[in-house]
Amino acid sequence: MNQQIHIDFPNSISLTIKREDLLHPFVSGNKFRKLKYNLLQAKAEGQGTVLTFGGAFSNHIAAVAYAGKEQGFKTIGVIRGEELLDKIEENPTLKFAQENGMQFEFVSREDYRNKNEILFLENLKQQFGDFYLVPEGGTNELAVKGCEEILTADDTAFNYVCCAVGTGGTISGLINSASPNQKILGFPALKGDFLKDEIRIFVKNENWDLISDYHFGGYGKINLELIEFINAFFEENKVPLDPVYTGKMVFGVIDLIHKNYFPAHSKILLIHTGGLQGIDGMNLKLKQKKLPILKTNV
């Protein structure tokens, strides 16, 4: 569903947001897209268990837990941070995942860095038996295939398509499926330039770029300016934004509009990639820091 944003922008620029967050109540946005073909593949391989990785407030962990339960899989989440073992009840994301049947394996941050090593994965197989592996964030070729279905024939009129970037899977799908007249702009939620190399694994087109000025200090970082922007955007447009991904992307696009980055009469499509389940956890952090909480209908 595409929803026009009714803001009077300079240079006759129009802004529309694709509400991928409304795809599913618990497996929303790009997580729905990324898991679609992975879970079909797991079934085709006769696997009954899906194992994946994530952090304390991971949208991916929550989505795998619910999708796994919905489709009859046992799910295992390898979680970064041993200290979280005793904090499940205090953590909205982990509590949700556990309530939906996910079994956890908490590992140290040092061990977590080895998550892609063969020996690390072999040890997990000895512990849990055989499983279908979905990488952290869900990005692989099947995930990109799912994300290629985000854009439809109705979206060809847009000159620019913008999305947040985490592991690079969503933007890769958009790049592959974009029309020749479209430029894809990614707004990384993390510091660093390594993402371009990750994206090039999955794409051949050159119709894209990353804009790395709106990460607000890095992954999961947030300040008063971003909080106030997200709350004002929700009040004005009735569209909730998450503070880790989509909120930063929308902030960046609107800032660039006012800086005349986009040509006059540009039609811009924003991809809402979901992630709203993480707001409860972020609000706990904001309360601790005595900052305003994110006001949404979630």
Side-chain angles (χ1 to χ4, degrees):
M1 171 184 140
N2 287 352
Q3 177 178 337
Q4 186 160 4
I5 302 303
H6 296 289
I7 300 176
D8 189 17
F9 290 116
N11 302 320
S12 301
I13 287 174
S14 69
L15 205 60
T16 301
I17 188 163
K18 183 176 280 288
R19 298 292 306 274
E20 290 280 288
D21 57 307
L22 300 177
L23 279 176
H24 188 286
F26 301 112
V27 190
S28 75
N30 61 346
K31 301 310 176 191
F32 182 93
R33 304 290 189 181
K34 288 180 174 184
L35 288 172
K36 176 181 176 180
Y37 290 108
N38 271 291
L39 294 184
L40 286 172
Q41 182 63 28
K43 285 183 179 177
E45 293 179 11
Q47 294 284 4
T49 300
V50 173
L51 181 142
T52 195
F53 304 90
F57 299 101
S58 166
N59 298 318
H60 176 66
I61 287 292
V64 169
Y66 194 90
K69 182 188 79 168
E70 196 172 55
Q71 298 196 32
F73 291 99
K74 177 184 176 183
T75 58
I76 299 166
V78 181
I79 308 298
R80 181 179 64 250
E82 291 172 305
E83 73 280 0
L84 296 167
L85 175 62
D86 301 320
K87 298 179 180 178
I88 296 173
E89 288 298 314
E90 305 166 27
N91 183 300
T93 300
L94 297 180
K95 185 178 180 184
F96 173 84
Q98 187 177 67
E99 288 171 349
N100 283 282
M102 179 170 274
Q103 180 181 348
F104 296 129
E105 174 69 11
F106 294 94
V107 301
S108 69
R109 282 163 171 74
E110 184 179 357
D111 287 343
Y112 192 84
R113 294 189 191 101
N114 299 320
K115 62 184 179 295
N116 297 322
E117 300 295 328
I118 293 175
L119 183 59
F120 186 84
L121 295 172
E122 285 300 323
N123 287 337
L124 288 173
K125 286 188 176 181
Q126 288 180 13
Q127 185 174 351
F128 296 109
D130 202 16
F131 52 75
Y132 182 86
L133 176 66
V134 178
E136 182 181 35
T139 291
N140 57 16
E141 288 187 6
L142 292 174
V144 172
K145 179 182 177 181
C147 291
E148 289 172 1
E149 298 175 353
I150 294 172
L151 294 178
T152 69
D154 294 334
D155 299 326
T156 55
F158 294 100
N159 312 111
Y160 292 89
V161 179
C162 302
C163 74
V165 180
T167 53
T170 304
I171 190 173
S172 296
L174 295 170
I175 291 165
N176 290 342
S177 61
S179 299
N181 64 300
Q182 293 177 321
K183 180 76 175 282
I184 311 299
L185 296 178
F187 291 74
L190 311 90
K191 284 184 179 180
D193 297 326
F194 63 93
L195 278 167
K196 285 195 173 183
D197 292 333
E198 296 291 319
I199 293 165
R200 288 192 180 102
I201 294 171
F202 301 107
V203 307
K204 294 179 181 177
N205 299 331
E206 297 294 335
N207 56 337
W208 60 283
D209 200 3
L210 297 184
I211 297 176
S212 302
D213 302 327
Y214 298 98
H215 53 64
F216 283 81
Y219 183 78
K221 303 289 186 182
I222 186 172
N223 63 17
L224 183 60
E225 183 182 23
L226 184 61
I227 297 167
E228 291 178 342
F229 169 81
I230 289 173
N231 285 341
F233 191 87
F234 176 68
E235 289 293 328
E236 294 165 10
N237 301 286
K238 299 298 178 273
V239 178
L241 303 174
D242 87 284
V244 177
Y245 294 103
T246 304
K248 294 180 179 181
M249 179 269 294
V250 177
F251 180 101
V253 171
I254 291 177
D255 188 53
L256 290 175
I257 290 173
H258 290 295
K259 290 177 177 175
N260 296 316
Y261 175 90
F262 298 99
H265 306 287
S266 291
K267 295 180 178 179
I268 305 170
L269 180 65
L270 310 173
I271 308 298
H272 195 316
T273 49
L276 300 177
Q277 68 82 30
I279 290 177
D280 287 344
M282 180 61 77
N283 278 341
L284 291 175
K285 290 184 175 181
L286 294 177
K287 287 177 183 177
Q288 291 171 357
K289 295 179 179 179
K290 297 186 170 20
L291 287 169
I293 64 169
L294 295 159
K295 300 173 183 176
T296 73
N297 60 350
V298 177

